[in-house]
């Protein structure tokens, strides 16, 4: 063999990915499912090529999955943080030594936003949902990854204007939490007296009366059958002068999964039905009056996600909505900030 063509002694092989034409028709989701199936057991890479490509794939997947749709992602947490911690009022909401309640936190990753608040100095955070945590191990590991990001580059999550909290502050604020245990996927790393996940209805909150400094929710209120009763319950647990920040998506949720559905089709159904496609159909501009009825002052209300709507379409709606102004129907999103008087 010509020595000029031979790799030098000690040369390491660099493996590269190549496309397989026979897999082009297989969806990305199917490929991911197959990879998860092959790698979810105790089996590990058996060749240098497998190990190298798996490592490269991990990096690619981290970037690929860092989107809002992934509830475990940094981007999702950053967006939630931006919505809740930067409401359009002339001052910031209290964090230091405060108690926050998150309604409808979701069972996929229920702790992240509450844990972030604790890292920034909150005294206690109470995330609430109707379902148990779906995958506690993954949810715990997500908390550990969040801490790493906060310590290395906090602006990735909280933005440049909230980075006054130092690395030592973060570690001090999370004193008692077991970061190694969380990284191992163990709930033993959670201090339940400070991060208190509760499975309960908004109508029967066990949070003490007048104890919450801030109550927040994202895509929660549209699923509540009795909005008045829910707001009354929230008012009971909120301190006088305490805040609420609520993002409410009032579009027909069937629209998200069925391309043949219209964004307001559920307004054609008998209004006596409390929920249609999982939604109560209360329109965005009706929410401020409901909060005011229960003692809240509306500090800010903005409307968005306007859908095209004609007079002819409005006439097809049930009477409750066919008489509403077009502009009150066309907006399907409200971001509302309130304060209890």
């Amino acid at each position: 063999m010509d020595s000029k063509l031979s790799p030098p002694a000690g040369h390491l092989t660099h493996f590269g990915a190549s496309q397989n034409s026979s897999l082009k028709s297989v969806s990305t989701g199917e490929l991911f499912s197959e990879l998860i199936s092959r790698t979810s057991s105790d089996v590990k890479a058996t060749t240098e090529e497998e190990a190298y490509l798996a490592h490269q794939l991990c990096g690619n997947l981290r970037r690929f999955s860092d989107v809002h749709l992934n509830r475990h992602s940094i981007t999702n947490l950053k967006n939630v943080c931006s919505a809740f911690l930067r409401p359009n009022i002339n001052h910031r909401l209290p964090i230091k030594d405060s108690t926050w309640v998150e309604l409808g936190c979701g069972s996929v990753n229920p702790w992240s936003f509450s844990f972030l608040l604790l890292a920034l100095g909150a005294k206690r955070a109470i995330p609430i949902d109707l379902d148990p945590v779906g995958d506690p191990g993954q949810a715990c590991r997500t908390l550990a990854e969040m801490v790493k990001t906060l310590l290395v580059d906090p602006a990735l999550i909280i933005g440049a204007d909230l980075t006054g909290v130092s690395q030592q502050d973060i570690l001090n604020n999370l004193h008692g939490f077991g970061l190694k245990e969380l990284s191992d996927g163990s709930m033993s790393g959670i201090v339940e007296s400070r991060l208190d996940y509760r499975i309960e209805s908004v109508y029967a909150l066990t949070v003490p009366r007048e104890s919450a400094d801030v109550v927040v929710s994202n895509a929660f209120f549209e699923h509540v059958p009795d909005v008045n009763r829910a707001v009354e319950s929230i008012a009971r647990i909120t301190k006088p002068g305490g805040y609420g920040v609520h993002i409410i998506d009032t579009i027909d949720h069937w629209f998200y999964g069925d391309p043949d559905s219209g964004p307001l089709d559920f307004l054609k159904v008998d209004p006596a039905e409390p929920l249609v496609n999982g939604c109560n159909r209360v329109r965005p501009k009706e929410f401020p009056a409901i909060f005011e009825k229960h003692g809240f002052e509306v500090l800010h209300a903005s409307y968005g996600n306007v859908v095209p709507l004609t007079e002819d379409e409005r006439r097809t709606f049930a009477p409750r909505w066919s008489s509403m102004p077009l502009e009150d129907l066309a907006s399907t999103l409200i971001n509302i900030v309130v304060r209890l008087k």
Side-chain angles (χ1 to χ4, degrees):
M1 179 182 292
D2 189 342
S3 61
K4 293 182 180 180
L5 300 179
S6 301
H11 170 80
L12 296 177
T13 303
H14 292 261
F15 300 97
S18 59
Q19 288 192 329
N20 187 328
S21 59
S22 66
L23 297 176
K24 284 187 176 181
S25 62
V26 181
S27 71
T28 303
E30 290 174 317
L31 288 174
F32 286 163
S33 294
E34 179 62 23
L35 284 171
I36 290 171
S37 176
R38 294 192 187 192
T39 59
S40 59
S41 66
D42 292 333
V43 176
K44 296 186 177 181
T46 57
T47 68
E48 186 179 3
E49 181 180 19
E50 281 185 353
Y52 185 93
L53 293 178
H55 184 75
Q56 184 178 17
L57 178 63
C58 284
N60 288 358
L61 289 178
R62 184 179 294 274
R63 292 188 296 272
F64 183 88
S65 63
D66 190 21
V67 295
H68 183 76
L69 291 171
N70 176 11
R71 294 174 183 267
H72 290 283
S73 71
I74 293 299
T75 291
N76 180 282
L77 182 59
K78 179 180 181 180
N79 292 342
V80 172
C81 174
S82 178
F84 286 154
L85 298 187
R86 295 178 181 81
N88 292 314
I89 55 177
N90 59 8
H91 57 276
R92 289 179 178 168
L93 300 180
I95 298 179
K96 184 67 176 175
D97 297 326
S98 62
T99 295
W100 286 57
V101 173
E102 182 184 5
L103 298 171
C105 60
S107 60
V108 173
N109 183 23
W111 297 309
S112 275
F113 179 67
S114 292
F115 192 63
L116 173 64
L117 292 169
L118 298 179
L120 296 179
K123 177 178 65 177
R124 191 181 188 194
I126 306 173
I128 295 174
D129 205 83
L130 291 176
D131 298 317
V133 183
D135 185 343
Q138 181 59 59
C140 287
R141 288 188 289 271
T142 295
L143 300 185
E145 289 298 317
M146 181 213 302
V147 175
K148 292 178 186 177
T149 303
L150 284 175
L151 294 176
V152 174
D153 191 355
L156 288 176
I157 297 177
I158 60 177
D161 61 325
L162 288 176
T163 52
V165 180
S166 69
Q167 291 180 340
Q168 192 58 53
D169 288 335
I170 292 170
L171 293 174
N172 290 342
N173 291 338
L174 294 178
H175 176 73
F177 285 87
L179 300 183
K180 181 184 183 303
E181 288 80 5
L182 292 175
S183 184
D184 291 338
S186 172
M187 291 176 60
S188 65
I190 292 176
V191 179
E192 293 184 3
S193 62
R194 296 189 63 206
L195 183 57
D196 183 8
Y197 182 63
R198 301 189 182 188
I199 303 172
E200 59 192 38
S201 166
V202 67
Y203 308 135
L205 296 173
T206 58
V207 180
R209 179 182 293 273
E210 297 183 358
S211 64
D213 294 281
V214 187
V215 179
V216 299
S217 72
N218 181 23
F220 164 78
F221 261 108
E222 66 266 30
H223 302 300
V224 176
D226 190 339
V227 174
N228 268 287
R229 189 178 167 201
V231 176
E232 180 181 29
S233 181
I234 292 169
R236 180 186 61 78
I237 69 168
T238 304
K239 292 180 179 178
Y243 296 88
V245 183
H246 305 284
I247 303 166
I248 309 169
D249 176 11
T250 70
I251 207 164
D252 185 344
H253 281 33
W254 201 256
F255 175 70
Y256 291 129
D258 183 357
D260 296 324
S261 294
L264 298 176
D265 278 0
F266 61 175
L267 299 185
K268 301 174 183 178
V269 180
D270 184 349
E273 294 292 334
L275 294 178
V276 174
N277 300 334
C279 303
N280 55 38
R281 299 178 291 173
V282 176
R283 307 322 301 148
K285 293 194 176 180
E286 295 179 296
F287 280 98
I290 297 174
F291 279 95
E292 289 172 341
K293 175 183 176 182
H294 295 285
F296 287 96
E297 172 191 6
V298 177
L299 302 179
H300 170 82
S302 58
Y303 304 90
N305 197 18
V306 177
V307 300
L309 183 65
T310 67
E311 289 283 359
D312 287 341
E313 288 173 316
R314 182 178 65 169
R315 293 189 190 99
T316 67
F317 295 161
R320 173 181 166 185
W321 298 286
S322 61
S323 59
M324 283 187 178
L326 280 177
E327 59 269 23
D328 289 359
L329 293 167
S331 294
T332 62
L333 183 74
I334 178 173
N335 187 335
I336 186 169
V337 185
V338 297
R339 179 170 54 199
L340 190 65
K341 296 178 182 178

